[in-house]
Amino acid sequence: MVKISKEAALAYHENGRPGKIEVKPTKAYRTQTDLSLAYSPGVAFPCLEIQQNANDAYKYTDKGNLVAVISNGTAVLGLGDIGAMSGKPVMEGKGLLFKIYGGIDVFDIEVDEKDPERFCEAVERIAPTFGGINLEDIKAPECFYIEERLKRTLDIPVMHDDQHGTAIISAAGLKNALEVNGKDISKVKIVVNGAGAAAISCTKLYMAIGARKENILMLDSKGVITSDRPNLNEQKRFFATDRRDVHTLAEAVSGADVFVGLSKGNVLTKDMVKTMAKDPVIFALANPVPEISYEDAMEARPDTLMSTGRTDYPNQINNVIGFPYIFRGALDVHATAINEEMKLAAVHAIADLAKQPVPDVVNDVYKVNNLTFGRDYFIPKPVDPRLITEVSAAVAKAAIASGVARKTIDNWEEYKNSLSVLLGQETKLTQKLYATAAAHPQRVVFAEAVHPTMLKAAVQAKAEGICHPILLGNEETIEKLADSLDLNLEGVEIVNLRHPREQERRERYARILTEKRQRDGYTFQEANDKMFERNYFGMMMVETGEADAFITGLYTKYSNTIKVAKEVIGIRPEFQHFATMHIINSPKGTLYIADTLVNANPTTDVLVDIAKLSATAVRFFNEKPNIAMVSHSNFGSDGSEGTQKVRIAVEKMQQTYPELTIDGEIQLGFALDRELRDTQYPFTRLKGKDVNTLIFPNLTSARSSYKMLQALDADVEIIGPIQMGLNKPIHFTDFGSSVRDVVNITAVAVIDAYVDKIKNRFKK
């Protein structure tokens, strides 16, 4: 675990723009018309609509995606009563987590009021602003009263996350831990060390999933809470035991199946752990120092199933697994409350998710290959991208079923897809690609199946129904790698191109290639030798129709791959060159960029082919191409050789394809700024159009552009390189491609192959 210094933490919060969150406009605001719509006089119209129907606030404002994180600073993150203003960095941090994990906007509100009545009155008066209220860092027992009152008086979801967030995550963890060790929750003996807000809420939720009250012992700073103790508050009295034989923690944990610590560090000793029942469950949730360290617990009892609140040990109980997605589901159905049914739905969704195969992105973050349900993994990781779809949908369904939803959801698959798009896990374009590919899966050859990324991508593409993968490589090596990565190769074809049984096929391919290239000096022996190389063999599979598409590039140098593609597959007869394109998906829209891989310093004729290929490719993705041919000058402002070739290419394209929207040479800034471009250069064919396709004058500028965007903007999704101009669907990946990148390219290759088949069918 990285040690955080005071200096580093203060610098993080101070440097640049102070704090961690900001407000950004979501509508256009550049023109006078924009401002008149945003404010006066246009704003009057939605105001009047909301006056007639209050629920229209969800339609015309951010209310439906806006949560208040509210605190009075009386119980801040283990720091205690440090005051409302002092707790503001924590509330901002909570706002950041809401945004990055749930896509939810937050105003953090620090209320300088300790009196519960007056605090509630303040919250009630500002509540119309919000779609939900997240109460934070309010001390017990006042927090119980505050939450209960606000739930009664407000018609929006209210949740004290310190209570219910920990309860939901730990209940999911407890459910799964007991499943792992084969124990019945209705029979286990549970010790809860701590009697604050979190402990009370956790224990009540454990009872809701089957724990029995008579099997629970709760302790506070004075020891076991017994019914004969005077001056117990209502919450503690509920859990007080009639037993008189237990008073200390050591006595309570003897023979216990479960220990849940919501107290302070180092109170549970190794000797105490040794007295617990077989396969004990220990949730030591004090932070940053747990009630017992992971090392001490495992040394005392190697059969322990353990959770902490820390990131550096297995099975972290982290509230971020719950609250963003619980509020997300509640907001999306305009819920009037977060009720017990919704909390339980979250518990079961989180618990069930831990039993599903773990996405590659999670394994990558934690530097492991095979997280699987068991002792060291019975709670999903906070970075699991499926949490938003599974938990939010479960909560929304429960809200609708329990009658607290103002809005219904009819298409749950579409709703889950929208959540993936919201957080940038997928875009509408990638969803469309996957859906189209899955409707027409093709046989795709993966050249470098012994590369973990490509093997994972092939298996994932099969699991998503995108293709029927064919892996090139040694069977034993691939199977061993798959086993180490916990990948299921059932139904996946493996072709060992170097095996003696493939000799006939290698020779057949060699004869075909020799005949095709005999005027280029090819001999049969030379061609036969080449068939021992993955790229030659795999491309010949596609050339002969024994496969439909081919993916390569993780190992191989581009120059070699391009050479092989030209030799084996060849360029489409209507072109003299081929190229590649990258798709840039950003919050501002989709851009198509070319050429990003093949032609280092294209001549005018090559630029013409790239433009023609790009227009065809953009239409392939069902968009009308609006093409800007980029340069460092605007329409003749510089007469250098580099700009001349771009200008001549534009002239040729405009003469040959007068219906095509294409112009240049033009600087990138003018190409992408329609208002500026149309004002300065009203004669351009691009006037009134948003450019969606950029043709760069050389490979360096094209690659640098998308690589810079990729590095600087986490909200940008890059798909590519996408091959344009070869006779068959041969597609390339990049050295740094992720599993998702390769799956994206696979989807494109499948669609490419399917479209190719349709075209050939019509030709016949």
Side-chain angles (χ1 to χ4, degrees):
M1 188 174 184
V2 178
K3 182 175 176 59
I4 301 298
S5 68
K6 175 182 177 181
E7 292 75 17
L10 293 179
Y12 172 85
H13 285 79
E14 178 184 8
N15 289 346
R17 184 189 181 106
K20 298 186 284 283
I21 57 177
E22 66 176 334
V23 175
K24 287 187 175 182
T26 58
K27 296 292 192 295
Y29 55 86
R30 290 189 175 186
T31 68
Q32 184 59 47
T33 300
D34 292 337
L35 296 177
S36 297
L37 289 168
Y39 197 55
S40 182
V43 74
F45 295 104
C47 289
L48 294 173
E49 293 296 309
I50 294 169
Q51 183 185 30
Q52 295 298 316
N53 179 7
N55 283 339
D56 276 355
Y58 289 99
K59 183 177 180 181
Y60 297 116
T61 76
D62 192 37
K63 178 182 174 75
N65 196 52
L66 186 61
V67 165
V69 174
I70 302 182
S71 178
N72 63 3
T74 54
V76 179
L77 271 188
L79 301 174
D81 186 354
I82 62 173
M85 186 63 74
S86 301
K88 183 174 175 63
V90 178
M91 306 313 129
E92 283 191 354
K94 195 65 176 282
L96 183 149
L97 296 176
F98 263 111
K99 187 65 175 180
I100 65 174
Y101 288 113
I104 295 169
D105 299 321
V106 162
F107 290 162
D108 65 289
I109 298 175
E110 293 71 40
V111 181
D112 189 13
E113 181 56 70
K114 294 183 180 180
D115 179 80
E117 294 288 343
R118 297 178 66 181
F119 180 89
C120 287
E121 290 171 3
V123 175
E124 287 162 351
R125 282 168 172 74
I126 64 173
T129 306
F130 303 99
I133 303 288
N134 181 95
L135 298 171
E136 193 79 12
D137 293 353
I138 302 170
K139 72 181 182 73
E142 289 91 334
C143 63
F144 300 116
Y145 170 78
I146 289 170
E147 185 187 42
E148 287 305 313
R149 169 169 162 171
L150 293 176
K151 286 168 69 174
R152 287 196 313 271
T153 59
L154 299 181
D155 64 348
I156 56 175
V158 177
M159 189 172 85
H160 184 207
D161 186 49
D162 299 324
Q163 295 182 57
H164 306 297
T166 303
I168 289 165
I169 314 309
S170 66
L174 180 60
K175 180 177 183 290
N176 280 353
L178 293 175
E179 181 176 329
V180 170
N181 68 16
K183 294 186 178 182
D184 184 342
I185 193 171
S186 67
K187 297 177 181 177
V188 295
K189 297 177 180 179
I190 301 174
V191 174
V192 180
N193 196 57
I200 296 292
S201 185
C202 285
T203 313
K204 285 185 176 180
L205 199 54
Y206 301 160
M207 291 173 59
I209 63 171
R212 298 177 66 86
K213 183 179 175 183
E214 59 266 28
N215 293 336
I216 298 171
L217 290 175
M218 182 175 287
L219 296 88
D220 60 12
S221 59
K222 297 177 183 178
V224 175
I225 300 172
T226 56
S227 56
D228 61 344
R229 189 199 292 181
N231 302 320
L232 290 175
N233 63 38
E234 180 183 349
Q235 289 75 28
K236 290 184 180 182
R237 189 179 305 114
F238 180 82
F239 288 106
T241 180
D242 292 330
R243 291 176 59 181
R244 300 292 180 265
D245 59 328
V246 288
H247 300 88
T248 66
L249 179 58
E251 292 170 343
V253 299
S254 179
D257 298 283
V258 178
F259 169 87
V260 178
L262 294 149
S263 52
K264 61 182 181 179
N266 297 323
V267 296
L268 185 67
T269 68
K270 289 194 282 187
D271 287 339
M272 293 180 192
V273 174
K274 289 176 182 177
T275 69
M276 293 181 70
K278 182 179 181 294
D279 295 318
V281 174
I282 296 177
F283 285 6
L285 305 183
N287 241 333
V289 180
E291 283 79 1
I292 185 172
S293 71
Y294 180 84
E295 292 81 3
D296 283 353
M298 299 309 293
E299 181 182 338
R301 291 291 296 274
D303 59 339
T304 296
L305 285 81
M306 188 166 181
S307 290
T308 69
R310 291 175 50 150
T311 60
D312 50 346
Y313 296 120
N315 302 310
Q316 183 193 19
I317 303 288
N318 188 329
N319 284 19
V320 80
I321 294 171
F323 70 82
Y325 316 115
I326 295 165
F327 272 96
R328 178 77 273 158
L331 290 171
D332 289 340
V333 294
H334 303 170
T336 59
I338 292 175
N339 57 27
E340 293 306 306
E341 291 90 341
M342 294 158 75
K343 294 176 198 171
L344 285 171
V347 170
H348 294 301
I350 292 167
D352 291 344
L353 190 58
K355 301 170 190 176
Q356 305 301 318
V358 177
D360 187 69
V361 65
V362 178
N363 286 322
D364 286 346
V365 168
Y366 289 91
K367 310 299 182 188
V368 295
N369 289 324
N370 54 351
L371 281 175
T372 53
F373 183 68
R375 288 179 174 272
D376 292 331
Y377 177 73
F378 51 79
I379 300 171
K381 298 293 187 181
V383 299
D384 195 319
R386 301 167 301 173
L387 283 164
I388 189 168
T389 55
E390 299 307 311
V391 179
S392 299
V395 170
K397 285 180 181 178
I400 294 170
S402 61
V404 297
R406 297 184 181 95
K407 175 185 174 184
T408 60
I409 295 173
D410 298 319
N411 188 326
W412 289 99
E413 196 60 37
E414 184 178 294
Y415 172 61
K416 288 185 176 183
N417 288 341
S418 72
L419 295 176
S420 295
V421 171
L422 177 69
L423 288 195
Q425 296 165 10
E426 292 182 6
T427 63
K428 290 181 180 179
L429 175 60
T430 54
Q431 287 181 355
K432 187 176 181 179
L433 289 177
Y434 284 25
T436 305
H440 311 283
Q442 305 290 307
R443 300 163 299 170
V444 179
V445 180
F446 292 84
E448 298 134 336
V450 293
H451 191 297
T453 298
M454 191 161 279
L455 183 58
K456 289 178 184 178
V459 173
Q460 186 170 324
K462 180 180 184 299
E464 297 196 27
I466 290 173
C467 73
H468 307 296
I470 302 170
L471 310 179
L472 294 187
N474 181 277
E475 304 97 316
E476 292 183 7
T477 303
I478 292 173
E479 288 167 0
K480 185 176 180 180
L481 178 60
D483 187 58
S484 70
L485 298 174
D486 197 31
L487 299 176
N488 182 5
L489 294 181
E490 184 178 352
V492 176
E493 182 181 353
I494 301 175
V495 174
N496 186 347
L497 65 153
R498 299 189 176 191
H499 197 280
R501 66 172 170 265
E502 295 296 341
Q503 180 178 345
E504 184 278 328
R505 179 150 51 168
R506 288 195 303 270
E507 292 177 352
R508 175 163 51 87
Y509 287 171
R511 285 193 295 271
I512 295 170
L513 184 59
T514 302
E515 184 176 345
K516 185 175 183 179
R517 293 294 178 188
Q518 58 190 0
R519 291 290 183 178
D520 298 321
Y522 258 74
T523 65
F524 172 78
Q525 186 57 52
E526 182 184 6
N528 196 37
D529 289 344
K530 291 180 184 297
M531 292 309 135
F532 286 91
E533 297 179 27
R534 290 186 300 267
N535 285 326
Y536 276 99
F537 188 93
M539 290 187 199
M540 283 302 301
M541 292 181 73
V542 178
E543 175 69 8
T544 59
E546 293 173 16
D548 303 307
F550 180 73
I551 308 291
T552 187
L554 284 177
Y555 281 137
T556 316
K557 289 183 179 179
Y558 290 132
S559 56
N560 182 58
T561 309
I562 290 166
K563 174 179 175 291
V564 177
K566 287 181 178 179
E567 290 180 12
V568 176
I569 300 299
I571 296 169
R572 286 162 54 183
E574 63 267 39
F575 300 103
Q576 298 298 314
H577 313 88
F578 80 104
T580 62
M581 167 183 285
H582 274 75
I583 302 176
I584 314 296
N585 269 314
S586 77
K588 292 186 177 181
T590 301
L591 279 176
Y592 302 87
I593 292 179
D595 168 31
T596 54
L597 180 64
V598 179
N599 301 285
N601 291 294
T603 64
T604 295
D605 289 340
V606 176
L607 284 173
V608 168
D609 260 5
I610 293 172
K612 289 160 59 180
L613 288 165
S614 297
T616 302
V618 173
R619 294 189 188 102
F620 175 83
F621 291 105
N622 291 321
E623 288 201 51
K624 181 180 179 181
N626 296 322
I627 304 173
M629 298 196 73
V630 178
S631 180
H632 64 272
S633 67
N634 286 315
F635 304 107
S637 62
D638 183 290
S640 64
E641 182 181 348
T643 62
Q644 289 275 12
K645 68 176 184 180
V646 177
R647 189 178 313 132
I648 295 170
V650 170
E651 290 173 359
K652 288 185 175 182
M653 288 296 296
Q654 290 180 340
Q655 290 169 6
T656 309
Y657 305 99
E659 77 288 352
L660 181 65
T661 304
I662 183 170
D663 216 331
E665 85 280 12
I666 187 171
Q667 293 177 1
L668 186 60
F670 284 94
L672 297 179
D673 189 329
R674 184 177 69 180
E675 184 178 345
L676 178 64
R677 181 188 66 236
D678 289 358
T679 301
Q680 293 292 109
Y681 306 106
F683 57 83
T684 174
R685 282 196 184 185
L686 299 170
K687 185 176 182 180
K689 305 286 178 61
D690 288 319
V691 167
N692 61 8
T693 309
L694 300 171
I695 310 299
F696 284 85
N698 55 57
L699 186 60
T700 299
S701 57
R703 284 184 69 81
S704 298
S705 295
Y706 86 79
K707 288 287 187 183
M708 183 172 65
L709 280 172
Q710 192 174 38
L712 293 179
D713 193 341
D715 292 331
V716 167
E717 178 192 38
I718 310 289
I719 301 176
I722 297 166
Q723 175 270 121
M724 307 183 295
L726 290 175
N727 273 319
K728 296 287 178 70
I730 306 299
H731 287 267
F732 313 108
T733 58
D734 217 332
F735 285 113
S737 294
S738 67
V739 172
R740 178 54 61 180
D741 292 335
V742 180
V743 176
N744 288 345
I745 289 297
T746 303
V748 173
V750 166
I751 299 169
D752 193 4
Y754 176 69
V755 171
D756 199 42
K757 286 183 178 180
I758 296 297
K759 288 180 180 177
N760 290 333
R761 195 178 304 159
F762 279 115
K763 287 179 183 178
K764 294 176 182 178

